[in-house]
Amino acid sequence: MIHPKISDELSLALAQGLGITSLTEIQERTLDHLSSNAFITAQTGSGKTLAYLLPLLSQINREEKKNIALIITPTQELALQIRDVIASLNEHLTLPYTVEALIGGANINYQMERLKKRPHILIGTPGRVINLFDKKKINGQTIDYLVFDEIDAMSEKYPLLEKIKKALRKSTQTLGVSATLSANRQDFFSQIVPNYQVIESSSIPHLNENIDHYIIFSEQRHKIDLLRQLLSATVGSTSLVFLNKPDQIERVYQKLTHHHYPVVALYGEMKKEERKNAMLEFRQGLKPTLISSDLTARGVDFPHVSQVIHLDFPLSPLSYIHRAGRTARGEDKIGLSIAFVSEKEQAAIRIYERELGIKFQTLVLSSGGVYLAEEDRPKKKAPKKKTKAKAKKKGKH
């Protein structure tokens, strides 16, 4: 048994389906202390998904046919990822949890048909879930657990979150989950997560120590060309490339594919099937570079990413934490975080170093390779100068 509150059957499913034989700190703390509405905060890669899923799964009666839990996510990809985690457990359970993903872009009529079977767990994006509530296809009065995953990424959708909350019973236990959530942000969401407790890791959110941090100085107009050079110099690496503006993703993607780089992208205008195929090609290594924004990659787990590339320098230290945390997933893995920095972005470097407790080293791209800049290379002792006598003797040989 992995924990007193987790059954032997579920413990075995965790081991066989996900390879998990021990819990992380935040998973332990949530199982031990979760008793009411709460904000669950822990650094990226610490296992937050299972931190809220395990208490929830442990209390669901799988013999009942009714909607018991509702999980809201900011992106379709995160919703599908959570569904897949539960599916991996179901493969090793005699009686599975029934799950339905309710995401935009998918056939709503098909989803409504599936809802007639009253699955235990509903996982969806705010807009689609509201649509189904409006059509009276979800009975909010049976739902005992409401989870807002990556809640801080849904600030702009607050009215939708509030509407979802009001569609449920006041007694429904509500959780807000995030890698980092300040006291001010907790207060902001306190209307939909009222009377909350805070469950967090004992350490403040920080960057994985197995990540090395680098910068490449570049004028804004040269960044894409330098990105091409970097990708060529690091062939064999799996790269996650971040931009600040989602509407620029397709432009970068088109430029790289024009030069025959094996890349995929996630951007707003893509169809559901295109997004699904892009994720599959990246996960399988068929196209080892994924271009995305903070939102589209939020919460999505890519365990094999070897380097994160910030084509646009992140707008805040918090954004840097979320991005860089996509690499070096797991205690025994290492990763690189490489940021392209323009002249107007250089002022942020020292601020990020101070606030995040990291040190950026400077890289240069030259002759098809990538190298540490002279000022960041280890200082070597100067070789001893040869005497004239020795030089003359060597010449004779």
Side-chain angles (χ1 to χ4, degrees):
M1 182 180 291
I2 198 170
H3 188 277
K5 292 184 179 179
I6 299 178
S7 67
D8 289 339
E9 183 189 23
L10 185 53
S11 296
L12 186 61
L14 284 166
Q16 295 178 336
L18 300 174
I20 293 174
T21 56
S22 61
L23 301 180
T24 66
E25 180 190 5
I26 192 61
Q27 291 163 0
E28 289 268 9
R29 290 177 67 84
T30 305
L31 279 163
D32 289 339
H33 302 293
L34 184 60
S35 59
S36 60
N37 298 342
F39 287 110
I40 299 172
T41 65
Q43 69 187 73
T44 298
S46 59
K48 294 186 299 299
T49 299
L50 281 176
Y52 69 76
L53 274 183
L54 290 177
L56 184 155
L57 296 177
S58 298
Q59 297 180 71
I60 288 179
N61 182 353
R62 284 170 281 163
E63 294 182 352
E64 289 186 299
K65 284 191 176 182
K66 66 177 184 178
N67 304 145
I68 300 175
L70 174 60
I71 301 171
I72 304 297
T73 69
T75 65
Q76 300 174 16
E77 288 76 23
L78 180 54
L80 296 176
Q81 179 178 303
I82 297 166
R83 181 200 63 183
D84 292 344
V85 168
I86 300 172
S88 297
L89 297 174
N90 278 339
E91 292 178 4
H92 305 280
L93 297 172
T94 54
L95 185 60
Y97 299 97
T98 52
V99 187
E100 186 61 34
L102 308 174
I103 58 177
N107 189 312
I108 193 169
N109 293 320
Y110 174 78
Q111 292 175 354
M112 289 191 293
E113 283 297 313
R114 297 277 295 175
L115 285 171
K116 291 179 181 179
K117 297 181 179 180
R118 291 174 292 178
H120 301 130
I121 304 169
L122 306 177
I123 310 170
T125 47
R128 178 52 57 92
V129 169
I130 286 293
N131 198 342
L132 290 165
F133 267 120
D134 290 342
K135 293 179 181 293
K136 302 189 185 304
K137 300 301 178 181
I138 303 174
N139 182 3
Q141 300 309 301
T142 69
I143 293 174
D144 296 326
Y145 309 100
L146 172 63
V147 180
F148 295 113
D149 200 347
E150 298 292 351
I151 189 171
D152 59 314
M154 296 189 282
S155 299
E156 295 180 358
K157 299 179 180 179
Y158 187 89
L160 296 181
L161 307 188
E162 194 172 36
K163 190 173 180 180
I164 290 170
K165 174 67 175 177
K166 288 180 178 178
L168 311 183
R169 304 190 318 273
K170 288 186 177 181
S171 60
T172 297
Q173 186 175 11
T174 306
L175 308 177
V177 184
S178 176
T180 49
L181 201 63
S182 66
N184 287 338
R185 300 305 288 165
Q186 291 168 12
D187 288 343
F188 176 80
F189 290 111
S190 62
Q191 292 299 312
I192 57 174
V193 188
N195 305 314
Y196 61 85
Q197 61 177 143
V198 178
I199 302 175
E200 56 189 349
S201 298
S202 58
S203 57
I204 62 172
H206 66 280
L207 282 162
N208 190 328
E209 295 179 356
N210 293 329
I211 301 173
D212 292 324
H213 306 273
Y214 300 97
I215 52 176
I216 296 174
F217 291 111
S218 168
E219 292 182 35
Q220 188 67 35
R221 59 194 176 94
H222 293 152
K223 282 188 176 183
I224 297 179
D225 290 334
L226 288 175
L227 173 62
R228 288 170 47 203
Q229 293 182 45
L230 178 61
L231 293 176
S232 296
T234 55
V235 170
S237 299
T238 304
S239 306
L240 185 53
V241 181
F242 281 102
L243 281 81
N244 291 341
K245 298 179 179 179
D247 59 357
Q248 295 297 310
I249 294 173
E250 187 174 7
R251 181 179 68 88
V252 175
Y253 168 74
Q254 295 294 350
K255 286 194 173 186
L256 291 176
T257 53
H258 175 74
H259 290 281
H260 309 292
Y261 285 84
V263 301
V264 293
L266 295 177
Y267 51 90
E269 300 304 316
M270 295 178 73
K271 297 178 181 178
K272 179 191 172 187
E273 197 62 27
E274 291 175 330
R275 297 168 74 92
K276 180 180 177 182
N277 290 338
M279 295 278 286
L280 186 63
E281 288 181 308
F282 183 65
R283 287 186 187 279
Q284 293 181 345
L286 301 175
K287 294 186 177 178
T289 300
L290 171 64
I291 308 167
S292 178
S293 67
D294 288 325
L295 181 59
T296 50
R298 195 66 174 270
V300 180
D301 188 20
F302 301 117
H304 62 301
V305 172
S306 50
Q307 59 184 15
V308 168
I309 301 172
H310 313 264
L311 190 62
D312 292 327
F313 199 73
L315 298 174
S316 69
L318 175 58
S319 176
Y320 189 88
I321 288 175
H322 281 297
R323 290 182 181 186
R326 299 294 104 200
T327 189
R329 308 284 278 191
E331 295 179 0
D332 59 340
K333 296 182 180 180
I334 59 174
L336 308 178
S337 177
I338 305 172
F340 287 91
V341 181
S342 66
E343 184 176 357
K344 67 178 182 179
E345 295 166 334
Q346 292 181 25
I349 294 172
R350 300 298 170 241
I351 296 173
Y352 284 42
E353 286 184 325
R354 182 178 67 252
E355 292 193 12
L356 301 178
I358 60 176
K359 174 66 178 175
F360 286 108
Q361 298 182 78
T362 306
L363 296 178
V364 293
L365 295 163
S366 177
S367 304
V370 56
Y371 308 94
L372 272 177
E374 287 291 342
E375 63 268 22
D376 284 335
R377 294 180 190 175
K379 299 295 186 291
K380 295 181 180 180
K381 293 181 179 180
K384 293 181 180 180
K385 293 182 179 180
K386 296 177 181 178
T387 63
K388 290 182 179 180
K390 286 184 178 180
K392 191 173 181 179
K393 186 176 181 182
K394 185 177 180 180
K396 289 182 178 181
H397 284 83

